[in-house]
Amino acid sequence: MSRMSRRRAAVLAITTIAALSLAGCATGAENASGEKPAAATAKSVSDLGGFAKLEEAAKAEGALNVIALPRDWANYGEILDLFAERYPEIAITEQSPDFSSAEEITAAKTNEGLDTAPDVFDLGLTVALQNTDRFAPYKVQTWDDIPAELKEPTGLFVGDYGGYMSVGYDSAKFEAPTQLTDLLGEKFRGSVAINGDPTQAGAAFAAVGLATVQSGGKLDDFQPGIDFFSKLDKAGNMLKLDVTSATVASGETPVVFDWDYLNAAHTADVPTWKTVVFDGVGYAGYYNQAINADAPHPAAARLWQEFLYSDEVQNLWLKGGARPVRMEAMTTAGTIDADLAAKLPKAPADTVVPTEDQSTKAGTLLGKEWAAAVQ
């Protein structure tokens, strides 16, 4: 599974197909009379008469469909459990936790009009930019705390949590790589994996971005990153496996390009697992939240967004090793968990985050070149 980023050069607090079951009624976001409920068009809690009214409407719907949220990804397990505890009237269906960002959209299209459609998405930036027609605009109550460059102006999609692209490795089997080109060496034969397909998955896309800037390239042109992975593949060092906690625990993927907070979490299964963020230019990224315009439970979808951007859950991202999007504002307000913040890895001195235009160009280039480069 995977996710992606945005443009904050001086990263203050940086920074994610099998069809779903078609069972269910073709209700979409319509009520029995065929009309859309008020929540389906609500762009903020004020459109529904306040937060209490939103909670009331969400409880009446009684369900929330989330998709592509592995429980070991950035502390999603604790976040999902807290929502279920707070709103026991709302049954959460956790669909296809290992889907990529692109597969989330495919699932929404496949289940359009059905009550099995995902209500919300967690997406990498490139996929979000390609699918804005699938999203409903919504601004959470803490909207003003979110940096302008990390949110679509109308609320179609909004950055939420992020980190740095890193390399994780089992230190019992490998010496620490100190630079990108170390991974081309014989000792890494058949051992290096990325988290998904970069044409579909945010983490894999970011791995190519990191390889680009670590190879002296710029984010306007991802070709140096594509070339690096082509060399890695030709050297026999690249594994064609999707990375999961299970593949790391089993030793199938002993060296992994992934977000620092995801690599750090693998120490729970592999005590000798270590994470390195290379010196030089660092690559940072956020994952984005969005509401399905066809959400079968539109009030619950909006309540979920409010929940994710609350102080409490922003601190839960921090507990998972990720950097919450409201970190700067919460630090100023004194609501950030200072102990958890102090445990974050030191940020690279020189960090890049692709702009929307750069992400779009890179996505187009990867679509044309990736399959031929890494066969």
Side-chain angles (χ1 to χ4, degrees), residues 23-40:
C25 304
T27 56
E30 296 182 354
N31 57 29
S33 66
E35 298 176 350
K36 287 185 178 292

Side-chain angles (χ1 to χ4, degrees), residues 241-283:
L241 291 175
D242 284 342
V243 177
T244 65
S245 293
T247 65
V248 171
S250 67
E252 293 176 272
T253 54
V255 182
V256 173
F257 278 89
D258 212 341
W259 298 112
D260 56 353
Y261 52 90
L262 298 182
N263 264 325
H266 293 313
T267 56
D269 297 316
V270 183
T272 52
W273 191 264
K274 293 187 178 180
T275 302
V276 59
V277 175
F278 292 132
D279 290 338
V281 182
Y283 184 106

